[in-house]
Amino acid sequence: MSGNNQRLAIFPTRMALTTMKLRLKGAQTGHSLLKRKSEALTKRFRAILGKIDEAKRKMGKIMQGAAFSLAEVTYATGDISFAVQSAVRQAQLRVRTKQENVSGTMLPMFELYSEGANAFELTGLGRGGQQIARAKDVYAKAVAQLVELASLQTAFVILDEVIKVTNRRVNAIEFVIIPRVENTIKYITSELDEMDREEFFRLKKVQGKKKRDRDAEEVAKAKRLLEAPESVEEPSNLLAANEDNDILF
């Protein structure tokens, strides 16, 4: 109903037809760009989905090894949690963020880096030094894998939302905007054609009336010429008995 009201509100002129054609071209261009954007985002989304599956499988193996190494440390040295907590003042492994542009969508990427010296490098000098070093390396790998997994899942969530919005826009342009503009163009074209036919018929009627008027005028003129009497003057006779004035010499 709103589409009909909008269509009827447009006065069918050549300017309106040109405007609607430009709008249709813009809608088709926007639909093409959004379609390609959706395809690029979907391709990246599927790649990230595969990486997440691989990262989770890898994370399970790493955490299994980390738990086993921690059990070795506990068996070799006992509980060292208090010693580690007292030795650590600040985190050595830190995370920084950067952004990656994927078809106009900024995806946050987390990157792990190390800062500062080893805070508990003297832990395990008495016994269990190898087990502690091995546990440290395994847990460092686990943290790196967690950061990578967090980066992938964040990008996954953002891409999922952006793809849904983009697909809604693509569908709205394809099934709502473009058909509505095309219907409006058809309406304007049909009205302009009807106006052209009416104008042609009007001009034809005007020309016919002018021709009839000319024909009637010519007939009337011919009738006037036939009905009017011709006044022809007789030539003067020099020998006629007319009295002439006397001429005195």
Side-chain angles (χ1 to χ4, degrees), residues 51-67 138-150 152-153:
K51 290 182 179 179
I52 288 176
D53 182 67
E54 182 181 355
K56 286 185 176 181
R57 295 177 185 274
K58 189 176 179 180
M59 190 69 206
K61 295 179 180 179
I62 291 176
M63 293 304 297
Q64 183 179 0
V138 173
Y139 273 97
K141 292 180 181 179
V143 172
Q145 191 66 27
L146 280 174
V147 172
E148 181 182 359
L149 185 59
L152 291 173
Q153 287 186 336

Coordinates of all heavy atoms in Angstrom, one line a residue, residues 51-67 138-150 152-153:
K51 N 39.9 -22.7 11.3 CA 41.1 -22.4 12.2 C 40.6 -22.6 13.7 O 41.4 -23.1 14.5 CB 41.6 -21.0 12.0 CG 42.3 -20.8 10.7 CD 42.9 -19.4 10.5 CE 43.6 -19.2 9.2 NZ 44.2 -17.9 9.1
I52 N 39.4 -22.2 14.0 CA 38.9 -22.4 15.4 C 38.8 -23.8 15.7 O 39.2 -24.3 16.8 CB 37.6 -21.6 15.5 CG1 37.8 -20.1 15.5 CG2 36.9 -22.1 16.8 CD1 36.5 -19.4 15.6
D53 N 38.3 -24.6 14.8 CA 38.2 -26.1 15.1 C 39.6 -26.7 15.3 O 39.8 -27.5 16.2 CB 37.5 -26.7 13.9 CG 37.3 -28.2 14.1 OD1 36.6 -28.6 15.0 OD2 38.0 -29.0 13.4
E54 N 40.5 -26.3 14.4 CA 41.9 -26.8 14.6 C 42.5 -26.3 15.9 O 43.2 -27.1 16.6 CB 42.7 -26.3 13.4 CG 44.2 -26.9 13.4 CD 45.0 -26.4 12.2 OE1 44.4 -25.7 11.3 OE2 46.2 -26.6 12.1
A55 N 42.3 -25.0 16.2 CA 42.9 -24.4 17.4 C 42.4 -25.1 18.7 O 43.1 -25.4 19.7 CB 42.7 -22.9 17.5
K56 N 41.1 -25.4 18.7 CA 40.5 -26.1 19.8 C 41.0 -27.5 20.0 O 41.3 -27.9 21.2 CB 38.9 -26.1 19.7 CG 38.3 -24.8 20.0 CD 36.8 -24.9 19.9 CE 36.2 -23.5 20.3 NZ 34.7 -23.6 20.3
R57 N 41.2 -28.2 18.9 CA 41.8 -29.5 19.0 C 43.2 -29.5 19.6 O 43.6 -30.2 20.4 CB 41.8 -30.2 17.7 CG 40.4 -30.5 17.1 CD 40.4 -31.1 15.8 NE 39.1 -31.3 15.2 CZ 38.3 -32.4 15.4 NH1 38.8 -33.4 16.1 NH2 37.2 -32.5 14.8
K58 N 43.9 -28.5 19.1 CA 45.3 -28.3 19.5 C 45.4 -27.9 21.0 O 46.2 -28.3 21.7 CB 46.0 -27.3 18.6 CG 47.5 -27.2 18.8 CD 48.1 -26.2 17.8 CE 49.6 -26.0 18.1 NZ 50.2 -25.1 17.1
M59 N 44.4 -27.0 21.3 CA 44.3 -26.5 22.7 C 44.1 -27.7 23.7 O 44.6 -27.7 24.8 CB 43.2 -25.5 22.8 CG 43.2 -24.7 24.1 SD 44.6 -23.7 24.3 CE 44.8 -23.6 26.0
G60 N 43.2 -28.6 23.3 CA 43.0 -29.8 24.2 C 44.2 -30.6 24.4 O 44.5 -31.0 25.6
K61 N 45.0 -30.8 23.4 CA 46.3 -31.5 23.6 C 47.3 -30.8 24.4 O 48.0 -31.3 25.3 CB 46.9 -31.9 22.2 CG 46.0 -32.8 21.4 CD 46.7 -33.1 20.0 CE 45.8 -34.0 19.2 NZ 46.4 -34.2 17.8
I62 N 47.4 -29.4 24.2 CA 48.3 -28.6 25.0 C 47.9 -28.6 26.4 O 48.8 -28.7 27.3 CB 48.4 -27.2 24.4 CG1 49.1 -27.2 23.0 CG2 49.2 -26.3 25.3 CD1 49.1 -25.9 22.3
M63 N 46.7 -28.4 26.7 CA 46.2 -28.4 28.1 C 46.4 -29.7 28.8 O 46.7 -29.8 30.0 CB 44.8 -27.9 28.2 CG 44.5 -26.5 27.8 SD 45.5 -25.3 28.7 CE 44.9 -25.5 30.4
Q64 N 46.2 -30.8 28.0 CA 46.5 -32.1 28.6 C 47.9 -32.3 29.0 O 48.3 -32.7 30.1 CB 46.1 -33.2 27.6 CG 46.2 -34.6 28.1 CD 45.8 -35.6 27.0 OE1 45.4 -35.3 25.9 NE2 45.9 -36.9 27.4
G65 N 48.9 -31.8 28.1 CA 50.3 -31.9 28.4 C 50.6 -30.9 29.5 O 51.5 -31.3 30.4
A66 N 50.0 -29.8 29.6 CA 50.3 -28.8 30.7 C 49.8 -29.4 32.1 O 50.6 -29.3 33.1 CB 49.6 -27.5 30.4
A67 N 48.7 -30.0 32.1 CA 48.3 -30.7 33.3 C 49.2 -31.8 33.8 O 49.5 -31.9 35.0 CB 46.8 -31.2 33.2
V138 N 55.4 -25.3 28.5 CA 54.2 -25.9 28.1 C 53.0 -24.9 28.4 O 52.2 -24.6 27.5 CB 53.9 -27.2 28.8 CG1 52.5 -27.7 28.5 CG2 54.9 -28.3 28.3
Y139 N 53.1 -24.2 29.5 CA 52.0 -23.3 29.9 C 52.2 -22.0 29.0 O 51.2 -21.3 28.7 CB 52.0 -23.0 31.4 CG 51.2 -23.9 32.2 CD1 51.8 -25.0 32.8 CD2 49.8 -23.7 32.3 CE1 51.0 -25.9 33.5 CE2 49.1 -24.6 33.0 CZ 49.6 -25.7 33.6 OH 48.9 -26.6 34.3
A140 N 53.4 -21.6 28.7 CA 53.6 -20.5 27.7 C 52.9 -20.8 26.4 O 52.3 -19.9 25.8 CB 55.0 -20.2 27.6
K141 N 53.1 -22.0 25.9 CA 52.4 -22.4 24.7 C 50.9 -22.4 24.8 O 50.2 -22.1 23.9 CB 52.9 -23.8 24.2 CG 54.4 -23.8 23.8 CD 54.8 -25.2 23.4 CE 56.3 -25.3 23.0 NZ 56.7 -26.7 22.6
A142 N 50.5 -22.9 26.0 CA 49.0 -22.9 26.2 C 48.5 -21.4 26.2 O 47.4 -21.2 25.7 CB 48.7 -23.5 27.6
V143 N 49.2 -20.5 26.9 CA 48.7 -19.1 26.8 C 48.7 -18.6 25.4 O 47.8 -17.9 25.0 CB 49.6 -18.2 27.8 CG1 49.3 -16.8 27.6 CG2 49.5 -18.6 29.2
A144 N 49.8 -18.8 24.6 CA 49.8 -18.4 23.3 C 48.6 -19.0 22.4 O 48.0 -18.3 21.6 CB 51.1 -18.8 22.6
Q145 N 48.3 -20.2 22.7 CA 47.2 -20.9 22.0 C 45.9 -20.2 22.4 O 45.0 -20.1 21.6 CB 47.2 -22.4 22.2 CG 46.2 -23.2 21.4 CD 46.6 -23.1 19.9 OE1 47.8 -22.9 19.6 NE2 45.7 -23.2 19.0
L146 N 45.8 -19.9 23.7 CA 44.5 -19.3 24.2 C 44.4 -17.9 23.6 O 43.2 -17.5 23.2 CB 44.6 -19.1 25.7 CG 44.2 -20.4 26.6 CD1 44.5 -20.1 28.0 CD2 42.8 -20.7 26.3
V147 N 45.5 -17.1 23.4 CA 45.4 -15.8 22.8 C 45.0 -15.9 21.3 O 44.1 -15.2 20.8 CB 46.7 -15.1 22.9 CG1 46.7 -13.8 22.1 CG2 47.0 -14.7 24.4
E148 N 45.5 -16.9 20.6 CA 45.1 -17.1 19.2 C 43.7 -17.5 19.1 O 42.9 -17.1 18.2 CB 46.0 -18.2 18.6 CG 45.7 -18.5 17.2 CD 46.6 -19.6 16.6 OE1 47.4 -20.1 17.3 OE2 46.4 -20.0 15.4
L149 N 43.3 -18.4 20.0 CA 41.9 -18.9 20.0 C 40.9 -17.7 20.3 O 39.8 -17.6 19.7 CB 41.7 -20.0 21.0 CG 40.3 -20.7 21.0 CD1 40.0 -21.3 19.7 CD2 40.2 -21.8 22.1
A150 N 41.3 -16.8 21.3 CA 40.5 -15.7 21.6 C 40.4 -14.7 20.4 O 39.3 -14.2 20.1 CB 41.0 -15.0 22.8
L152 N 40.6 -15.6 17.2 CA 39.8 -16.2 16.2 C 38.3 -16.1 16.6 O 37.5 -15.8 15.7 CB 40.2 -17.6 16.0 CG 41.6 -17.9 15.4 CD1 42.0 -19.3 15.4 CD2 41.6 -17.3 13.9
Q153 N 38.0 -16.4 17.8 CA 36.6 -16.4 18.2 C 36.0 -15.0 18.2 O 34.8 -14.8 17.9 CB 36.5 -17.0 19.6 CG 36.7 -18.5 19.6 CD 36.4 -19.1 21.0 OE1 36.4 -18.4 22.0 NE2 36.0 -20.4 21.0

